[in-house]
């Protein structure tokens, strides 16, 4: 056997080959501590200015700070994915709240989006095409979906998809209750509390479960 053939045979073949470490994956997906803070600042600014002044100045301040964060990252040639996502969510809610004059409407899109995500995730699970598995393949393994060849990994992604759907339902339900109770300040605080802290927990469980399943699955079996 030649040296090249020996190297190929020795290459790792598990489902998590060439996958970054747990800490690296967490940092990448969250955008680091800075990304987490940047996602919360516009909402916290909206809450504070709305309490101290009024709705419209709060909307202007929240959208303005989100734009500044994006521009700062752009000028420094840093990734703007998290900033753009945050600006998109802030802008939609801001337009609705501006038109209705109701501070609680700033958070209305997030409620519908949460339930929409949950419905899509549950649908993929019923079809035995768990969406979290495909997201894993795109984000973590360069577009490879070899997990479909393993019955064990398929089952893991099924229950992980259910977990993510349940978290979206929880987020939508809590904010929906506060929306109908007309409690905009609590709505804002719940949006922060049920966003990145919950996301960190979901992501940590997902990374742990998939890497564990990949290590303990010696030979993929047909799903």
């Amino acid at each position: 056997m030649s040296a090249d053939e020996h190297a190929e045979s020795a290459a790792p073949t598990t489902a998590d080959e060439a996958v970054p470490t747990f800490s690296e994956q967490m940092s990448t997906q969250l955008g680091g501590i800075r990304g987490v803070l940047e996602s919360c600042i516009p909402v916290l600014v909206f809450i504070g200015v709305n309490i101290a002044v009024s709705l419209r100045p709060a909307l202007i301040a929240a959208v303005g700070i989100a734009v500044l964060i994006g521009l700062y990252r752009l000028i420094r040639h840093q990734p703007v994915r998290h900033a753009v996502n945050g600006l998109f969510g802030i802008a939609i809610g801001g337009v609705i709240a501006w038109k209705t004059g109701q501070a609680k409407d700033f958070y209305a899109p997030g409620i519908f989006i949460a339930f929409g995500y949950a419905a899509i995730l549950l649908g993929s699970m019923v079809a035995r095409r768990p969406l979290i598995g495909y997201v894993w393949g795109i984000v973590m393994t360069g577009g490879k979906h070899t997990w479909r060849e393993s019955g064990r990994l398929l089952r893991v992604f099924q229950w992980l998809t259910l977990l993510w759907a349940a978290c979206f339902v929880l987020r939508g339900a809590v904010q929906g209750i506060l929306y109908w109770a007309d409690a905009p300040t609590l709505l804002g605080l719940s949006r922060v509390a049920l966003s990145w802290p919950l996301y960190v927990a979901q992501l940590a469980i997902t990374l742990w479960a998939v890497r564990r399943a990949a290590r303990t699955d010696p030979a993929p079996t047909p799903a």
Side-chain angles (χ1 to χ4, degrees):
M1 179 182 291
S2 68
D4 290 341
E5 290 173 337
H6 179 73
E8 281 186 23
S9 64
T13 57
T14 57
D16 62 342
E17 62 177 303
V19 174
T21 65
F22 183 91
S23 298
E24 289 171 339
Q25 292 174 18
M26 287 287 290
S27 178
T28 298
Q29 292 307 302
L30 294 172
I33 297 298
R34 181 174 172 179
V36 169
L37 292 175
E38 287 176 356
S39 68
C40 297
I41 288 174
V43 176
L44 294 175
V45 167
F46 175 81
I47 295 171
V49 177
N50 186 53
I51 292 173
V53 188
S54 63
L55 174 61
R56 294 201 170 186
L59 292 172
I60 294 171
V63 173
I65 196 69
V67 170
L68 287 176
I69 290 172
L71 289 175
Y72 177 77
R73 278 186 167 266
L74 194 62
I75 290 171
R76 294 179 63 86
H77 304 288
Q78 297 173 339
V80 296
R81 176 167 58 94
H82 296 285
V84 171
N85 290 342
L87 176 59
F88 183 73
I90 293 292
I92 293 178
V95 169
I96 296 174
W98 187 283
K99 289 182 175 297
T100 63
Q102 297 289 325
K104 67 178 184 178
D105 289 332
F106 180 75
Y107 308 101
I111 298 172
F112 289 103
I113 289 172
F115 284 123
Y117 282 160
I120 293 171
L121 287 164
L122 290 174
S124 73
M125 182 183 172
V126 171
R128 291 185 63 79
R129 296 290 187 274
L131 188 58
I132 296 303
Y134 288 99
V135 173
W136 174 273
I138 293 169
V139 175
M140 299 298 188
T141 60
K144 298 177 182 177
H145 299 292
T146 54
W147 59 270
R148 288 287 306 166
E149 301 169 8
S150 167
R152 181 182 179 84
L153 283 171
L154 175 60
R155 290 190 295 273
V156 168
F157 280 120
Q158 281 280 84
W159 74 256
L160 284 172
T161 298
L162 179 61
L163 169 68
W164 280 76
C167 290
F168 279 118
V169 169
L170 173 64
R171 185 178 295 127
V174 170
Q175 291 197 308
I177 291 170
L178 294 173
Y179 180 89
W180 290 111
D182 196 16
T185 300
L186 290 178
L187 257 172
L189 295 175
S190 70
R191 174 163 169 169
V192 173
L194 294 174
S195 57
W196 65 265
L198 191 58
Y199 183 67
V200 167
Q202 294 169 240
L203 185 58
I205 292 171
T206 299
L207 295 175
W208 169 81
V210 176
R211 293 177 71 88
R212 181 176 181 274
R215 284 195 301 268
T216 57
D217 194 14
T221 55

